[in-house]
Amino acid sequence: MRSTFLNKVVALLVLLLPFTLKIIHSDAASSSLLSAQKEAESKGRTFFTSHDDIVSKARKEGKLWVSSRLGTSVSEPLINGFKQKYPFITEIRVQEIAGTAAFERFQLELQSGQAKGWDITHVPIDSISSYVPYLKKYDIFGMAKSGVLKIDPRMIHPGERNILSLTTGFRVAAYNRNLITEDKVPAKWEDFLKPEFKGKKFLLDIRPLGVASLVPDWGLEKTLAFARRLAAQQPVWSNMGGDGRNTLIANGEFALDPEANYHSVKRNMSKDRTGNLNFKIVEPVPTRVVDHLDGILATATSPNTALLWIEFLSSSEAQQIIDKYFPLRASLYSSGSAAEQELRGKELSVVDWNHFNKFEEYVTKIIEAYGFPRAEK
């Protein structure tokens, strides 16, 4: 009898064990969220411990106004996707903002208190410090790390904690397949220093965004030394935009451009009737994951809906829309994106949140290494 009783007790304990562990895990998770919330609030930031709480608050708002740089072709499918997910949001307004003048005007409106009604703003990379005081102090980074918001934390500024990077840009070597065969196109950046590439054999942008993006992998000193040797190769210096350089390559005026934007080359390849334009990925691949930035305004009238919109933009569904309509620019951190697929298994040099504030400094020093004369003040 005693043995039978003990066997029943053991069987009951085994049966109850998963439920006990689940309760313990739940209590630990709740404790962790409360701790994260307390830490965020001690720094003046808002931290929600429940996604349902955000949705509940958003239901009472029912609308959203967004100032975006993604463009009108992207806005409509994003709006439709968001409304399917949250049908209680009945009014969504997305207005495109583009160009330095427009950004400066919006910034002045923020400073004067005239930028009313907007919930989300595009944050220009070179003006982050000017925008930060006008952004709502949500701890989006903390909520993403804790799983309250389904966002890859790498997309969020870990210092400011309330700015999201939506897209990725990376550089490739564009070439004319009639002038140079793929096997002759360098696979490594150092290969551009070979004797056969000396003497106006390739284009090089006077604004070295691609070369500057090598700093995260190589370090500044190695990159500067490389830049000096690259300039000694006597390239054809160009101040044209990416599309212009792609056209020169496609038309056979030049054979090779090491610093072409991937998305730009792919777009121009689809328009190239000659079929001459092609590209090759050169490693380490200069990759900027801090690209298109969005933030929630402190004056937002629908801040909770804005949080859901930010989360949606990072989702696989929205990233696929961005890849399609803002062609091939979805984030490297979105599984299945064009960038993630092209760069899978490659050696990367990633301009992330740790480097983007120093990026203009990198560019300036590389221009000096190229030996260009400096303007006198």
Side-chain angles (χ1 to χ4, degrees), residues 326-369:
F326 195 60
L328 309 176
R329 298 290 297 276
S331 175
L332 171 67
Y333 301 135
S334 178
S335 179
S337 69
E340 190 271 332
Q341 292 184 67
E342 287 282 11
L343 299 179
R344 194 179 296 164
K346 299 287 192 301
E347 180 187 353
L348 308 183
S349 182
V350 181
V351 180
D352 57 13
W353 299 107
N354 294 319
H355 290 277
F356 86 103
N357 276 333
K358 307 172 188 174
F359 192 71
E360 283 302 314
E361 176 191 343
Y362 300 162
V363 170
T364 299
K365 289 188 175 181
I366 290 167
I367 290 174
E368 292 175 358

Side-chain angles (χ1 to χ4, degrees), residues 41-249:
E41 290 178 346
S42 71
K43 297 176 181 178
R45 300 192 177 280
T46 300
F47 185 105
F48 291 104
T49 58
S50 166
H51 192 274
D52 289 342
D53 190 19
I54 301 171
V55 174
S56 176
K57 292 178 184 298
R59 285 181 181 276
K60 300 173 183 178
E61 297 167 348
K63 68 180 185 67
L64 183 71
W65 284 16
V66 179
S67 175
S68 173
R69 192 176 66 89
L70 287 178
T72 53
S73 61
V74 192
S75 300
E76 186 173 346
L78 285 176
I79 290 170
N80 291 338
F82 187 67
K83 281 187 173 181
Q84 286 181 7
K85 192 173 183 67
Y86 301 108
F88 53 82
I89 307 299
T90 56
E91 179 189 348
I92 302 178
R93 174 184 174 184
V94 179
Q95 180 173 303
E96 182 180 6
I97 184 170
T100 302
F103 297 146
E104 290 177 349
R105 184 169 58 252
F106 191 83
Q107 187 175 327
L108 289 173
E109 291 174 356
L110 283 176
Q111 294 169 349
S112 63
Q114 299 302 307
K116 297 179 179 179
W118 299 107
D119 298 302
I120 292 177
T121 180
H122 168 68
V123 180
I125 286 179
D126 55 358
S127 301
I128 285 184
S129 59
S130 299
Y131 274 70
V132 164
Y134 303 99
L135 299 181
K136 194 166 185 65
K137 298 192 73 174
Y138 276 138
D139 188 1
I140 299 176
F141 181 78
M143 287 186 279
K145 286 193 70 175
S146 299
V148 177
L149 292 173
K150 293 182 179 179
I151 304 175
D152 189 315
R154 292 174 294 180
M155 291 183 175
I156 307 164
H157 193 309
E160 300 301 338
R161 306 178 79 87
N162 58 356
I163 300 173
L164 178 79
S165 177
L166 297 173
T167 61
T168 287
F170 63 96
R171 302 282 172 151
V172 298
Y175 68 95
N176 183 303
R177 67 177 81 212
N178 279 341
L179 299 179
I180 184 172
T181 57
E182 183 180 1
D183 62 304
K184 299 295 184 183
V185 177
K188 297 286 185 182
W189 278 90
E190 293 90 342
D191 292 342
F192 284 100
L193 303 179
K194 291 180 177 179
E196 59 262 37
F197 290 108
K198 187 169 185 176
K200 301 187 183 303
K201 298 297 175 62
F202 57 89
L203 287 170
L204 202 60
D205 196 342
I206 62 172
R207 184 162 167 75
L209 303 183
V211 174
S213 297
L214 295 172
V215 174
D217 188 60
W218 283 0
L220 183 57
E221 292 309 314
K222 178 180 176 179
T223 305
L224 291 176
F226 173 77
R228 295 185 192 101
R229 296 181 65 192
L230 194 63
Q233 291 289 79
Q234 302 170 348
V236 177
W237 298 104
S238 172
N239 62 355
M240 300 182 71
D243 287 342
R245 299 202 309 276
N246 287 337
T247 299
L248 293 177
I249 298 293

